[in-house]
Amino acid sequence: MLRVLVVDSSRERAADVCAALALAGHQVAAVLTSALDLSDQVLATKPDVIFIQADSPSRDTLEHLATMNRDCPRPVLLFSQDTDSAMIRRAVKAGVSSYVVDSVSAERLDSLVEVAIAQFEEFQTLRAELDDANRKLSERIVVDKAKGLLMKARGLDEEAAYHALRKLAMERGRKLADVARDVVDMASLLL
């Protein structure tokens, strides 16, 4: 059973969606008429999935969705009648996992939720890999910069500068990148 946060400005449509979710075996965590306090509601209710239904998503809705996606990302299904490809791209960029141009039917609900969750998980994996690659690159850059400073200041070759950094990191029980950052910071103070 998934906990679902429903966002829909139409009370009748929201009631239909809640009924379809209940029939599919899901629990409605909360129903919002707008996305104004989406991040706060997500933090408060901790839904597994967010279900937004709008004739055409407003700029405000997409902004609140982007904020929520940054602070507490969740799979988001957006049902809309807007077929504009620019709108679809903005929605996906804001964090929508699955943009469906149509109304929801109880028969399709489970498969649409599964697709949204799978796309969300894949995106989160890619985001984590990118963050890790960026972290490693920035660590590599700072280590190279620290090596260059040691090479210049002490007249060491590259291998000896690396071993000096590594030895210092081991002696202090810290990561190589952190020690390299300290060397760069100290050099900027002294020069």
Side-chain angles (χ1 to χ4, degrees):
M1 174 192 309
L2 296 173
R3 291 178 44 80
V4 182
L5 175 65
V6 176
V7 181
D8 194 335
S9 60
S10 166
R11 291 192 190 278
E12 289 105 24
R13 269 193 326 214
D16 291 343
V17 168
C18 291
L21 288 167
L23 284 173
H26 304 300
Q27 177 186 6
V28 175
V31 178
L32 305 176
T33 57
S34 76
L36 286 177
D37 61 345
L38 186 60
S39 290
D40 294 337
Q41 286 294 326
V42 168
L43 289 172
T45 61
K46 298 182 181 15
D48 299 310
V49 177
I50 298 169
F51 186 103
I52 300 174
Q53 190 155 330
D55 295 325
S56 180
S58 69
R59 193 185 86 221
D60 287 344
T61 297
L62 296 180
E63 286 175 8
H64 291 292
L65 187 57
T67 300
M68 183 274 314
N69 191 43
R70 182 192 68 225
D71 298 339
C72 44
R74 296 286 191 280
V76 176
L77 286 98
L78 190 135
F79 288 83
S80 176
Q81 299 305 313
D82 195 337
T83 60
D84 180 43
S85 63
M87 174 57 72
I88 295 169
R89 289 181 191 283
R90 285 193 301 272
V92 169
K93 189 173 182 177
V96 170
S97 305
S98 186
Y99 188 105
V100 180
V101 180
D102 202 356
S103 59
V104 65
S105 65
E107 301 82 38
R108 295 181 359 170
L109 188 62
D110 273 339
S111 60
L112 291 170
V113 168
E114 288 302 318
V115 167
I117 291 171
Q119 287 178 324
F120 173 79
E121 289 171 349
E122 183 63 25
F123 182 77
Q124 291 303 103
T125 299
L126 290 173
R127 177 183 274 174
E129 289 172 3
L130 177 62
D131 290 346
D132 186 50
N134 284 333
R135 181 190 51 78
K136 287 178 180 176
L137 178 60
S138 69
E139 287 176 356
R140 178 67 185 189
I141 289 169
V142 77
V143 168
D144 285 346
K145 191 171 186 178
K147 284 191 311 188
L149 289 167
L150 288 175
M151 290 165 61
K152 186 176 179 182
R154 292 189 176 173
L156 302 173
D157 65 6
E158 186 175 357
E159 187 175 334
Y162 177 77
H163 286 295
L165 282 173
R166 198 168 134 218
K167 181 180 177 202
L168 187 58
M170 289 172 59
E171 287 172 356
R172 294 187 178 178
R174 297 181 62 206
K175 289 178 56 179
L176 180 65
D178 293 337
V179 170
R181 210 169 278 111
D182 291 346
V183 168
V184 171
D185 291 344
M186 288 298 156
S188 68
L189 287 174
L190 297 173
L191 300 176

